[in-house]
Amino acid sequence: MKNVLIVCQCATNKGDRAVAEFLISQLKKENEIKITLSTTRPDLWENLKQDGIEVIGTGYKSLSFGKEGSFISKVIKRLTRIFYNKVVFKELIDKKKKPICNLISKDFINRVKRADTVIITGGHHITSIREKNALFSITYDIGLVAEYSKRYVLWSQTIGPLEFSSDIYKNYFVNLIDDADLCFIRDKNSAECIKSIGCNGKNIRTTYDSVFGFGLNYFGDYEKRQNKVGISIFNGLKKAYDTFPEIAGILDWFASKGYSIEFFRMEYEGGEQNDIEKIVSLMKEKAEISVFDFKTNTQKHLEELATCKYYIGYKTHSVIMALTTATPLLGICYHKKTRDFMEEFGVCDFSVDDTVLTKENGIEIAEKLCLAASDLNMKMKKIAKSIAEKIDSDFEEVLYDRK
């Protein structure tokens, strides 16, 4: 029986959950495969045990004491990060023995060693946006996989931007990418980044985000959709807070036209519900407001999204989910990748950078969206099906040993 380990899964993020669900559904098509999922919160994946899938924690261990968000908890987390940056990552990058890594991550490393193939889930993992020199919890786990696995695949990644304070770090990440059996990238900016840091590019393949793989499903007739606008916001990004009044103004415009508003949560924690309430409090028009439950599987999430006539997407996977269900959308771009995804569907004209979003330009896009919606839906359906077929085909190569 082949043993496949999926790593770098964030259980509290709706987009990451959707990616994991897609990977598991693809692996279950094959005979004689044992699936193990490494995730930040095993307790949020209790349902997988019924399907015989084992769920384990991550290699990165974050110490936490006291109530989440309390002063003590924040101090401990800060000290943990300093310890990893000053001690653990230095040992990981060094090619000598790794006693501290083995002590901290013994169980995870043993699972990595036992796996025939390790799949690093798709997403925006390898980047210095989060931390200097791209050294943070996810890249720690990727480093362990590169060090101890028989074979690993970087699946459907956005890579970059990457900035390094020295060639030691740059060369380390070049090796992480080059040593993968296969590296699938999901947007053109990643190709430019890989080239700029000096990767050899021999293992690079282009694909799409995993969630587009759900595009083979049927999401109902557009004409039968409800008089409703769906929306997903960005929680936890500082510049996103500045967009709240503008987003409220755009929702006011839809409300004045008689549309109800449904928020689709993309985060399990982190105050997203409070942000939703803040935006609603800024609205001046009365409207029927609802919030779709986070604790649903991806298929049900997509089916509910497909009841909306229009969508406003800010988080990356919220945009991808709207595209997958052929829902005409206004895309708010916090990163170039969002525009890349919309460009694939020929709907880039309905996007706007979050740094220049205003109520006025948002409403202008919304007006164009309403006029073109029916035609857009037909075009998006065809593209969604084509992309889903490509992903299905690409994933077959994941299980094939290139070396």
Side-chain angles (χ1 to χ4, degrees), residues 151-181:
R151 173 183 185 263
Y152 67 99
V153 175
L154 287 157
W155 169 253
S156 188
Q157 300 287 319
T158 287
I159 296 176
L162 284 169
E163 295 181 359
F164 303 106
S165 61
S166 77
D167 285 344
I168 293 173
Y169 298 114
K170 185 182 81 168
N171 293 337
Y172 180 70
F173 278 91
V174 167
N175 289 333
L176 284 186
I177 296 168
D178 283 348
D179 290 347
D181 190 78

Side-chain angles (χ1 to χ4, degrees), residues 21-67:
E21 287 176 29
F22 171 80
L23 293 175
I24 290 168
S25 69
Q26 292 296 102
L27 291 171
K28 286 171 70 175
K29 293 179 182 178
E30 304 292 329
N31 294 322
E32 300 298 312
I33 288 186
K34 175 176 171 51
I35 305 169
T36 303
L37 175 69
S38 168
T39 177
T40 55
R41 289 278 302 273
D43 59 298
L44 296 182
W45 282 108
E46 288 293 323
N47 60 307
L48 293 183
K49 294 179 181 179
Q50 302 170 8
D51 298 325
I53 297 167
E54 191 171 5
V55 183
I56 64 171
T58 60
Y60 184 93
K61 304 299 183 222
S62 178
L63 298 176
S64 181
F65 297 103
K67 186 178 178 181

Side-chain angles (χ1 to χ4, degrees), residues 61-95:
K61 304 299 183 222
S62 178
L63 298 176
S64 181
F65 297 103
K67 186 178 178 181
E68 182 69 25
S70 67
F71 175 76
I72 294 175
S73 177
K74 289 178 181 178
V75 169
I76 294 298
K77 283 188 176 182
R78 176 62 180 162
L79 291 174
T80 301
R81 286 171 59 195
I82 292 172
F83 174 65
Y84 271 88
N85 287 337
K86 300 293 185 182
V87 179
V88 183
F89 273 111
K90 288 186 179 298
E91 181 184 273
L92 180 64
I93 293 171
D94 190 344
K95 295 300 179 183

Side-chain angles (χ1 to χ4, degrees), residues 233-296:
I233 64 170
F234 204 128
N235 164 255
L237 189 66
K238 187 178 179 181
K239 63 176 179 174
Y241 299 132
D242 296 334
T243 68
F244 288 0
E246 314 305 328
I247 289 173
I250 298 166
L251 292 178
D252 276 335
W253 183 85
F254 277 109
S256 71
K257 304 295 181 184
Y259 291 97
S260 62
I261 312 296
E262 183 170 22
F263 286 87
F264 288 79
R265 291 191 56 182
M266 300 299 291
E267 298 288 344
Y268 180 72
E269 52 194 13
E272 185 183 39
Q273 181 62 39
N274 293 335
D275 287 351
I276 290 171
E277 292 171 5
K278 174 65 176 176
I279 291 171
V280 172
S281 72
L282 292 170
M283 291 178 62
K284 297 176 182 177
E285 296 282 341
K286 288 186 177 180
E288 181 184 335
I289 307 289
S290 61
V291 180
F292 189 65
D293 186 14
F294 178 93
K295 296 179 180 179
T296 52

Side-chain angles (χ1 to χ4, degrees), residues 282-316:
L282 292 170
M283 291 178 62
K284 297 176 182 177
E285 296 282 341
K286 288 186 177 180
E288 181 184 335
I289 307 289
S290 61
V291 180
F292 189 65
D293 186 14
F294 178 93
K295 296 179 180 179
T296 52
N297 65 33
T298 300
Q299 183 61 29
K300 290 188 180 299
H301 184 108
L302 294 173
E303 287 171 355
E304 179 66 18
L305 198 160
T307 65
C308 300
K309 277 272 180 70
Y310 311 105
Y311 197 80
I312 299 171
Y314 198 164
K315 291 277 285 187
T316 300

